[in-house]
């Protein structure tokens, strides 16, 4: 945790791939290894950072993994380069957006009984709840959180921590131009 004036910043970018998902992916890979799931492939959809974090974690545990990402330049060169530097992993770019990648992953999980390391996997999702439990534990006053997100895994982690009794007040979602969830929520709120 670092401080900028009265604002606290939870630095979650200090893992091996500079992604807040590093901890969750490392724990998920370790859990799958402990459960003797070495012969079950994990499949992941990514818009960039999940892919690198999952590839790093699963390659360390020598577990089979496939990452699917939008291959039409919708992720950064840095993230693409990171993903292409792991050995014994399958990385596939598709013509489409992240939502298409997620559709493919969900279909393959159901069809072939594969594992996931996206936020639909409790093995990755639950460790992220720990970020907000930690933050809450180090603060005496209720917190207002601003969480950058493309999808809702990180926000859902904060919300779960709040429901578990952490001193979290408001949770705000921050989006960049990849704002499909924001567009959906705004559409949903307009139609209430």
């Amino acid at each position: 945790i670092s401080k900028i004036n009265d604002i606290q910043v939870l630095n979650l970018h200090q893992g091996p791939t500079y992604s807040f998902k590093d901890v969750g992916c490392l724990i998920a890979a370790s859990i799958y290894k402990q459960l003797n799931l070495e012969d079950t492939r994990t499949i992941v959809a990514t818009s960039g950072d999940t892919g690198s974090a999952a590839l790093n974690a699963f390659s360390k545990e020598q577990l089979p993994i496939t990452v699917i990402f939008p291959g039409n330049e919708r992720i950064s060169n840095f993230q693409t380069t990171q993903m292409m530097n792991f050995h014994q992993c399958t990385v596939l770019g598709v013509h489409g957006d992240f939502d298409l990648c997620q559709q493919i992953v969900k279909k393959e999980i159901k069809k072939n009984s594969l594992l996931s390391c996206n936020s639909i996997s409790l093995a990755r999702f639950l460790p992220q709840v720990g970020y907000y439990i930690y933050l809450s534990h180090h603060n005496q006053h209720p917190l207002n959180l601003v969480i950058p997100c493309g999808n809702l895994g990180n926000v859902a982690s904060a919300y779960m921590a709040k429901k578990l009794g952490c001193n979290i007040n408001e949770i705000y979602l921050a989006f960049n131009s990849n704002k499909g969830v924001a567009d959906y929520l705004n559409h949903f709120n307009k139609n209430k």
Side-chain angles (χ1 to χ4, degrees):
I1 301 172
S2 58
K3 278 191 130 182
I4 303 170
N5 298 324
D6 290 335
I7 298 172
Q8 293 183 48
V9 178
L10 187 56
N11 296 310
L12 301 176
H13 64 284
Q14 297 179 3
T17 70
Y18 310 109
S19 169
F20 78 88
K21 297 168 184 172
D22 279 323
V23 171
C25 288
L26 287 164
I27 291 172
S30 179
I31 289 169
Y32 294 165
K33 183 83 167 192
Q34 290 294 316
L35 294 174
N36 296 316
L37 298 171
E38 290 97 342
D39 296 328
T40 305
R41 180 163 293 278
T42 297
I43 188 168
V44 173
T46 189
S47 56
D49 55 348
T50 302
S52 298
L55 287 164
N56 175 67
F58 282 72
S59 65
K60 281 185 178 182
E61 294 290 350
Q62 298 178 352
L63 296 171
I65 185 167
T66 298
V67 172
I68 299 175
F69 71 98
N72 46 354
E73 301 180 18
R74 290 187 174 219
I75 66 172
S76 74
N77 289 334
F78 175 77
Q79 291 169 324
T80 302
T81 301
Q82 248 188 345
M83 289 191 297
M84 298 304 170
N85 282 326
F86 292 99
H87 303 288
Q88 299 177 335
C89 303
T90 305
V91 181
L92 303 170
V94 299
H95 293 289
D97 61 10
F98 175 71
D99 293 332
L100 175 63
C101 296
Q102 273 193 317
Q103 289 171 11
I104 293 168
V105 165
K106 287 177 182 177
K107 179 181 171 189
E108 291 302 315
I109 287 170
K110 187 175 182 179
K111 180 180 172 186
N112 297 303
S113 299
L114 302 178
L115 299 168
S116 180
C117 194
N118 284 103
S119 55
I120 59 173
S121 165
L122 290 178
R124 197 210 81 205
F125 173 77
L126 290 176
Q128 289 177 204
V129 176
Y131 300 154
Y132 302 102
I133 293 171
Y134 173 85
L135 184 62
S136 174
H137 178 74
H138 285 82
N139 285 276
Q140 297 174 2
H141 305 291
L143 301 167
N144 291 319
L145 304 176
V146 177
I147 301 175
C149 56
N151 218 328
L152 295 177
N154 201 15
V155 172
S157 299
Y159 185 73
M160 183 176 276
K162 178 178 179 171
K163 287 298 188 182
L164 288 170
C166 291
N167 61 345
I168 296 170
N169 187 22
E170 297 289 332
I171 301 172
Y172 298 94
L173 289 67
F175 296 95
N176 60 16
S177 61
N178 179 15
K179 57 184 182 56
V181 173
D183 292 343
Y184 171 78
L185 292 173
N186 287 333
H187 175 76
F188 179 74
N189 285 333
K190 285 180 189 175
N191 294 327
K192 272 188 166 181

